[in-house]
Amino acid sequence: MTSINVVGIGLDGAASLTDQVKQLVERATLLVGSQRHLGYFPNHQGSQVVLGNFTDAIELIRKQLDGADHDTLIVVLVSGDPLFFGLGRLLLSQLPPSSLRFHPHVSAIQLAFSRIKVAWQDAKVISAHGRSMEQLIPALKQGVDKIAVLTDGTNTPEAIAKLLLALDLPSCYQFWVCENLGGMDERVQCLGVEAVLNQTFAPLNVVVLLRHPDSVDQSLDPESLPILGLPDQTFTSFSDRPGLMTKREIRLLLLGELALKPGQTVWDIGAGTGSVSIEIARLSNTSQVYAIEKTAMGSTLIEQNCQRLGVTNVTSIHGSAPDVLKNLPTPNRVFIGGSGGNLHSILDYCDTRLDLDCILVLALATVEHINTAYSWFESKRFPPSERGIRANSFPPLLRRGDSFPPLLRGVRGDPWNYQWLQVQLSKSVPVGKLTRFNPLNPITIVTAWKC
């Protein structure tokens, strides 16, 4: 059977081929390739077909294959490795695999990582060449350490930079643009994301994104930040889980549900990086916030973020709730952002400590935690025989968040009332020259108070 030789070639043309592969090309009776690839062999004696429409080219190859004799030799020229986001996969789906032989060249991704001198066996490779950049968004949000992107005329380095800026990531990336790899005019640059927006690059380029292990700018000026709604990238986050943070849009809703007032004591249970605690503390420097976090790394991050942002009224408490809550002053507000699997026992403890004017807010991300919270609050509502009497004992305006007269502060275990807020938000992100909405993880917020 006549074979079809699929030959990978670099920007240095025929010089990139071994002598054996070069002889194959020279003896080809039919040479198929792009205008650029065919231009590397101006004196070739066989027939040539410009590879424009892939479907038409494959049909022509199939006809040549069907009518081939012993002297027929078909060579298809492609860039780099034909089986690495290349034409090889399409050829395998349309032609008999037994008729195909592959002669790969070094891929652009291999060349890019070799130029920046970084091992790439653990890199995430995404092709945006003739595709969308949708696969890039989750990789960036997850904080993948090494990402390589094959670009095209729409999904350019500038388009990738705009996407990075729009996502407001807690991670920062080195932005490498590798142009004309293997060619005489090769250029490899590491640029700031903003700088990429103002540059034009060669059409043949690869983008490599390398995440900084310590992403946050340590020279931050707290005075330059907004009073409310700090960008996610403001906070130092977990190096292995950079996306593990209460997102800015959710924080804004939580702060509203907490109905904060000056001079309060606040518990933030499951504080993570301290993003909610710090927002509360910056809103009221007369309040005292206790950020409870069970991981040592989280407690360290809370302290680092407080120091960077000039916040002095947050106390980082390392330990698991509810055990570590026993020595803390009684709060006016409680936020539960994480429970470490102890949600039921944390709520039981809060039931014994919280007064009638306290507001409790929970942010729940899983169905199981929603079910736990629902079951607990339902068990704490008024018995049917008492609901009308007890619920009407207080003026409506005093039922949530307002100060109760001392004589109205009830015994421990008072019934609870609560309301749900399901939050499903999407942010606009640029995708090439278009814009689409990218959803945040849905969150269910429970706001509860004794009555």
Side-chain angles (χ1 to χ4, degrees):
M1 177 181 288
T2 300
S3 65
I4 303 168
N5 291 271
V6 187
V7 173
I9 193 167
L11 286 182
D12 48 352
S16 66
L17 304 178
T18 65
D19 289 341
Q20 181 181 8
V21 174
K22 194 181 300 183
Q23 290 175 15
L24 274 176
V25 175
E26 291 171 352
R27 292 190 292 108
T29 56
L30 175 64
L31 188 62
V32 182
S34 68
Q35 197 75 54
R36 175 169 60 86
H37 291 147
L38 295 176
Y40 295 142
F41 303 94
N43 300 319
H44 189 270
Q45 299 300 310
S47 301
Q48 296 188 6
V49 173
V50 176
L51 189 58
N53 185 297
F54 288 172
T55 302
D56 292 344
I58 291 174
E59 185 59 31
L60 176 62
I61 293 171
R62 182 182 288 111
K63 290 179 180 179
Q64 290 283 330
L65 193 62
D66 291 341
D69 56 32
H70 293 296
D71 295 328
T72 301
L73 176 59
I74 302 172
V75 173
V76 181
L77 299 174
V78 297
S79 296
D81 184 345
L83 295 175
F84 187 75
F85 295 105
L87 184 61
R89 184 176 64 174
L90 180 60
L91 292 173
L92 284 169
S93 69
Q94 299 293 320
L95 299 171
S98 58
S99 68
L100 293 166
R101 293 184 61 195
F102 294 96
H103 307 271
H105 184 58
V106 178
S107 71
I109 301 298
Q110 288 176 283
L111 287 172
F113 278 100
S114 70
R115 298 301 190 259
I116 63 179
K117 300 178 177 64
V118 171
W120 68 286
Q121 69 273 1
D122 54 344
K124 173 73 173 178
V125 180
I126 295 171
S127 176
H129 186 83
R131 302 172 173 88
S132 74
M133 290 197 294
E134 291 199 15
Q135 290 187 356
L136 179 58
I137 295 173
L140 290 170
K141 293 175 71 174
Q142 292 164 14
V144 174
D145 286 337
K146 305 170 187 174
I147 305 173
V149 186
L150 295 167
T151 65
D152 64 12
T154 299
N155 300 314
T156 61
E158 181 180 22
I160 295 170
K162 288 180 178 178
L163 177 62
L164 266 172
L165 294 172
L167 288 175
D168 184 26
L169 300 169
S171 301
C172 293
Y173 281 89
Q174 286 184 358
F175 200 113
W176 290 85
V177 182
C178 308
E179 305 168 78
N180 296 323
L181 290 165
M184 295 295 292
D185 52 350
E186 175 181 293
R187 184 171 66 164
V188 177
Q189 301 180 83
C190 183
L191 303 165
V193 179
E194 292 83 1
V196 176
L197 302 177
N198 301 316
Q199 291 205 35
T200 300
F201 301 95
L204 299 177
N205 67 74
V206 171
V207 169
V208 176
L209 304 172
L210 303 178
R211 185 168 72 88
H212 290 285
D214 186 13
S215 289
V216 177
D217 182 5
Q218 299 299 324
S219 62
L220 182 67
D221 177 14
E223 298 298 325
S224 66
L225 296 172
I227 296 173
L228 178 65
L230 297 173
D232 291 343
Q233 61 186 357
T234 304
F235 300 96
T236 303
S237 187
F238 297 93
S239 59
D240 58 337
R241 295 165 294 164
L244 189 63
M245 176 191 303
T246 303
K247 300 299 187 289
R248 174 182 176 272
E249 293 77 13
I250 303 299
R251 288 199 304 272
L252 291 171
L253 290 171
L254 293 170
L255 293 170
E257 289 299 302
L258 284 165
L260 300 164
K261 296 181 179 179
Q264 292 183 318
T265 298
V266 182
W267 292 355
D268 178 2
I269 301 173
T273 62
S275 61
V276 174
S277 291
I278 289 171
E279 292 269 23
I280 295 170
R282 295 179 81 242
L283 282 174
S284 175
N285 58 14
T286 61
S287 293
Q288 181 60 47
V289 184
Y290 294 90
I292 298 96
E293 171 57 39
K294 71 173 185 177
T295 68
M297 176 58 73
S299 295
T300 300
L301 289 174
I302 292 168
E303 294 171 359
Q304 290 177 352
N305 283 321
C306 287
Q307 184 176 4
R308 292 179 58 255
L309 291 162
V311 172
T312 59
N313 54 329
V314 172
T315 301
S316 178
I317 307 292
H318 176 214
S320 296
D323 295 340
V324 297
L325 304 175
K326 297 174 182 177
N327 296 322
L328 300 182
T330 299
N332 306 105
R333 300 289 185 268
V334 176
F335 169 61
I336 302 177
S339 62
N342 299 328
L343 181 57
H344 197 284
S345 58
I346 291 172
L347 291 172
D348 280 343
Y349 183 77
C350 288
D351 189 38
T352 67
R353 287 289 303 270
L354 306 188
D355 288 327
L356 288 171
D357 60 350
C358 182
I359 294 177
L360 171 64
V361 176
L362 301 87
L364 307 171
T366 68
V367 172
E368 289 76 13
H369 285 145
I370 292 171
N371 184 58
T372 298
Y374 174 79
S375 299
W376 190 90
F377 283 113
E378 277 297 296
S379 72
K380 299 297 180 179
R381 292 175 71 90
F382 293 123
S385 61
E386 298 183 21
R387 285 180 185 169
I389 300 172
R390 294 291 302 275
N392 293 325
S393 299
F394 310 112
L397 293 178
L398 291 180
R399 290 184 193 167
R400 180 183 168 203
D402 290 337
S403 297
F404 282 77
L407 292 178
L408 292 183
R409 295 181 185 271
V411 297
R412 306 304 182 199
D414 281 325
W416 287 80
N417 205 348
Y418 64 97
Q419 64 184 23
W420 300 87
L421 177 63
Q422 191 174 58
V423 182
Q424 294 179 296
L425 298 174
S426 296
K427 294 177 63 175
S428 66
V429 292
V431 180
K433 296 181 179 180
L434 303 175
T435 303
R436 75 168 179 82
F437 284 103
N438 185 58
L440 303 179
N441 289 335
I443 297 292
T444 298
I445 300 173
V446 185
T447 305
W449 60 97
K450 287 188 173 184
C451 50

